[in-house]
Amino acid sequence: MAAAPRSPEDRRAQILDVAVRLLESVPFDELSMDQVAADAGVSPPLLFHYFKNKQGFRNAVLEASASELQRRMTPDETLPVPEQLRAGVETFANAVIEHPTIYLAVMRMAASGDESMRQIYRGMRRTFTRWIGASLAEFGVPTTPALEAAISGWQAFMEEIVLSWLDEPTMGRTEMIDLCERAFYHLLPAAGVDVDTLDVTG
């Protein structure tokens, strides 16, 4: 018995899955619609049917890739709180290091006013902000506007450190991650948090 034909939504999702998988080895700027069509087992004109044009296709692929990137950045909440921070920094750094063209493309499009990319980019930031706020709450630290602003500023710092390290790795990878982790604890007092009362020794 012949398999039921895919719905348009399923076919579109399959094409995007193939494109996201290709980005594991192909830079985003070099992703070819013909290559995606061939790997997905469809004709190139079908991609235009689903995505209208090349820009629509690239935007859809970038949204799907960025959503997957955001999923990878989600901290492991099963770890003790101090270990979560270290693991969170490493997860963020690894995600950006492994997919810099996607992360930079999301940043550029978010800054240009693309609302869907802005939402994804903000979502990445909110994932960390909420998680860190919840973790600090376990130590009795209340979430305040100053603390949220400090966490957001730390994320911007960490982002810049990782991207700069990619361009010019003047220190070891572990040293770079150590710097990002230490910066977080040094920034907390500016938000009114007494770091000495936190048990960050694990």
Side-chain angles (χ1 to χ4, degrees):
M1 182 176 178
R6 287 178 179 267
S7 68
E9 293 79 12
D10 285 346
R11 177 63 75 183
R12 187 177 188 276
Q14 180 223 356
I15 292 169
L16 288 175
D17 284 344
V18 168
V20 170
R21 189 173 68 250
L22 281 170
L23 288 176
E24 297 287 340
S25 56
V26 178
F28 177 72
D29 292 339
E30 297 177 15
L31 187 66
S32 161
M33 292 183 73
D34 288 341
Q35 183 180 5
V36 172
D39 281 31
V42 300
S43 64
L46 190 62
L47 268 66
F48 287 97
H49 171 72
Y50 286 120
F51 302 102
K52 298 186 188 301
N53 53 45
K54 183 177 181 179
Q55 190 58 47
F57 170 73
R58 288 171 63 85
N59 286 355
V61 172
L62 187 56
E63 286 185 30
S65 300
S67 295
E68 172 63 13
L69 197 61
Q70 181 178 351
R71 185 192 66 77
R72 294 184 184 189
M73 290 179 180
T74 302
D76 183 356
E77 297 180 358
T78 65
L79 295 172
V81 172
E83 292 179 26
Q84 281 187 39
L85 179 66
R86 177 69 182 197
V89 174
E90 291 176 342
T91 298
F92 173 83
N94 290 339
V96 175
I97 289 168
E98 291 167 10
H99 303 282
T101 57
I102 295 174
Y103 194 82
L104 287 169
V106 171
M107 284 181 60
R108 286 196 298 266
M109 293 184 71
S112 72
D114 185 291
E115 188 56 33
S116 62
M117 288 298 107
R118 184 178 297 174
Q119 290 298 323
I120 290 172
Y121 185 62
R122 287 176 176 172
M124 293 178 183
R125 292 291 186 90
R126 280 195 298 269
T127 295
F128 262 76
T129 300
R130 291 172 180 170
W131 154 65
I132 291 174
S135 297
L136 289 174
E138 294 187 24
F139 291 108
V141 177
T143 299
T144 64
L147 180 59
E148 290 183 335
I151 294 171
S152 179
W154 170 69
Q155 289 178 70
F157 168 86
M158 182 167 60
E159 180 179 88
E160 180 62 26
I161 290 294
V162 174
L163 291 173
S164 295
W165 183 86
L166 273 172
D167 288 337
E168 193 173 355
T170 55
M171 66 182 82
R173 185 168 176 154
T174 299
E175 187 180 359
M176 180 266 291
I177 291 173
D178 287 345
L179 174 61
C180 292
E181 184 181 17
R182 287 197 307 271
F184 173 74
Y185 292 112
H186 282 289
L187 190 60
L188 287 179
V193 178
D194 185 357
V195 179
D196 291 336
T197 65
L198 304 180
D199 178 13
V200 295
T201 59

